Amino acid sequence: MDLSLCLQESLTLFEPTRSTFIPITLTLPLFRNCLTPTNGLISSKTSHLLLVVDSSLVSEAVPVIDLNDPNALQLIGHACRSWGVFQVINHGIPTSILHQTESTAKTLFSLPLEQKLKASRSPDAVSGYGLARISPFFSKLMWYEGFTVFGSPLDHFRQLWPRDYTKHCDVIEEYEKEMKKLAAKLAWLMLGSLGITKEDVDWAGPNGDFADASSASQLNYYPACPDPDKAMGLAAHTDSTILTILYQNSISGLQVMKEGVGWVTVPPIPGGLVVNVGDLLHILSNGLYPSVLHRAMVNRTKHRISIACLYGPPANVQISPLPKLVSPSQPPLYRAITWSEYLGTKAKYFNKALSIISSPQKGLADVNDHNNSVKVG
């Protein structure tokens, strides 16, 4: 399987949602340290703050779900159906592991460029350092660096840190072990919310633990950008996975597209992780769960780091709408396809990939397809 295609995902850009000017009376001392030339205006006469607020943020927020909540299954199902994304807390991954992984990422991206280039990702490889793979398809600058880990990071980390690569390898390997366990748990919660059981998914393995599932880790770095309006962190795309788990540091930047609303910011929450529905879960659910369109914005003064776990099935397993979700009134929307084949289709057709693999009964229109008519730049 050529997992080098894993990050070459379907891309679409939308016109930005209009902002709404909302006058809010606030006592100035509380917000004295929050003001910047771009997020608020102070009246010298009233000492009141006029905030410019994206209208999508006034009444819409990505669901935050406590995995210890007895209703977590139902809450996750509702979030998947209505948003295609949610955040989780009390997920079981120690905060220390997340912070150590963030520290390794910071150390990596702080290295001199010539040192990072020693671990460059070759064109036909998965792992290594490089810019966004999707950059050539867009005229607008991607203000971004990335490092992909698929399998052991040992060889590349030796190039980056000849003397102390072992400790960074240990950090990443521990992070991947914990993330893979959480991903399997989340996969069953997401599938379980559709009424799917272990008997319905034969490739989950005899113990139903997805032992043969594939995963990769993606370290993302978005440097402070002097002119954010002329650059983007990462262009809008959906993930070619079953699900993606994202850890973000304390700096906001992730936005998701909510149908009928527009772009909604997903703020970092302490100890929280973002979970995206990927294209493969959209296929498995027979279109019931949309794969979320998302993008990364950049900050004028602050660096941002995020770390993604890209989780999918074994490379050669056929993925298709689950039989329990198919009926005469709900025919299968997509033909069977392996993850490897889908990644190749996605790399070639981008956001039209789901339409390309749609079933004859479905026609060419895809319920999860995104308009690609808006140009970047």
Side-chain angles (χ1 to χ4, degrees):
M1 172 186 180
D2 185 4
L3 277 180
S4 65
L5 300 172
C6 190
L7 301 179
Q8 298 177 13
E9 301 166 313
S10 73
L11 308 168
T12 306
L13 294 184
F14 286 73
E15 295 289 356
T17 305
R18 291 185 177 180
S19 295
T20 305
F21 285 86
I22 302 177
I24 304 175
T25 301
L26 300 166
T27 56
L28 183 58
L30 292 176
F31 288 83
R32 186 178 304 278
N33 295 328
C34 301
L35 300 174
T36 71
T38 59
N39 70 7
L41 300 173
I42 304 175
S43 165
S44 59
K45 293 182 179 180
T46 63
S47 293
H48 292 165
L49 186 65
L50 182 64
L51 292 178
V52 182
V53 181
D54 189 313
S55 59
S56 69
L57 304 180
V58 177
S59 60
E60 298 285 349
V62 170
V64 178
I65 299 172
D66 185 337
L67 291 188
N68 289 336
D69 190 319
N71 297 314
L73 184 81
Q74 293 77 16
L75 294 171
I76 285 174
H78 182 265
C80 288
R81 192 181 298 264
S82 58
W83 281 87
V85 61
F86 54 94
Q87 296 206 66
V88 291
I89 57 174
N90 288 323
H91 42 68
I93 296 185
T95 302
S96 59
I97 290 178
L98 298 175
H99 289 170
Q100 287 166 9
T101 309
E102 179 185 344
S103 178
T104 284
K106 283 181 179 177
T107 303
L108 190 158
F109 292 116
S110 298
L111 292 170
L113 178 59
E114 59 270 20
Q115 191 72 10
K116 289 182 283 190
L117 290 176
K118 292 179 181 179
S120 291
R121 181 181 59 233
S122 60
D124 57 347
V126 180
S127 298
Y129 169 80
L131 302 177
R133 295 172 185 271
I134 60 179
S135 298
F137 300 99
F138 295 90
S139 59
K140 198 169 185 178
L141 176 65
M142 305 271 181
W143 205 260
Y144 168 88
E145 298 175 43
F147 194 97
T148 309
V149 178
F150 179 66
S152 173
L154 181 61
D155 289 342
H156 278 131
F157 280 15
R158 275 178 175 158
Q159 297 293 323
L160 295 172
W161 299 288
R163 295 182 180 178
D164 58 352
Y165 60 86
T166 303
K167 73 173 183 180
H168 294 297
C169 286
D170 291 344
V171 166
I172 294 298
E173 288 170 357
E174 182 67 16
Y175 162 84
E176 290 188 326
K177 181 181 75 173
E178 293 293 328
M179 277 293 176
K180 201 166 182 180
K181 286 193 297 186
L182 176 60
K185 178 179 179 179
L186 289 168
W188 276 125
L189 286 168
M190 295 160 91
L191 291 169
S193 66
L194 290 165
I196 301 302
T197 66
K198 294 180 180 180
E199 290 71 31
D200 300 315
V201 187
D202 54 5
W203 50 269
N207 298 320
D209 56 1
F210 296 111
D212 295 326
S214 301
S215 67
S217 296
Q218 180 64 37
L219 314 182
N220 304 306
Y221 176 58
Y222 307 94
C225 179
D227 196 347
D229 294 333
K230 293 184 178 178
M232 70 179 79
L234 201 59
H237 62 284
T238 60
D239 292 337
S240 304
T241 57
I242 290 177
L243 62 92
T244 300
I245 306 173
L246 184 77
Y247 166 77
Q248 33 180 3
N249 69 354
S250 59
I251 308 303
S252 288
L254 175 64
Q255 294 186 332
V256 299
M257 175 58 66
K258 178 75 161 70
E259 185 177 357
V261 176
W263 289 110
V264 178
T265 297
V266 185
I269 57 176
L273 296 168
V274 182
V275 183
N276 292 344
V277 172
D279 290 347
L280 297 188
L281 183 54
H282 174 73
I283 294 170
L284 289 168
S285 72
N286 203 26
L288 293 175
Y289 289 173
S291 49
V292 65
L293 187 73
H294 55 286
R295 68 184 183 183
M297 309 302 288
V298 289
N299 190 287
R300 188 181 301 273
T301 59
K302 297 178 180 179
H303 307 289
R304 178 173 178 265
I305 284 177
S306 68
I307 304 161
C309 170
L310 309 169
Y311 190 74
N316 296 314
V317 165
Q318 293 280 325
I319 297 296
S320 61
L322 292 162
K324 190 177 280 188
L325 305 177
V326 173
S327 67
S329 61
Q330 296 290 333
L333 299 181
Y334 304 101
R335 65 175 176 82
I337 191 169
T338 67
W339 193 18
S340 180
E341 291 168 339
Y342 182 71
L343 290 169
T345 303
K346 192 79 173 280
K348 184 175 181 180
Y349 295 103
F350 296 104
N351 62 307
K352 298 298 180 184
L354 288 170
S355 290
I356 295 297
I357 67 165
S358 61
S359 297
Q361 304 99 308
K362 181 171 178 284
L364 292 178
D366 188 273
V367 296
N368 197 48
D369 221 9
H370 301 288
N371 189 331
N372 196 33
S373 61
V374 180
K375 296 182 178 179
V376 186

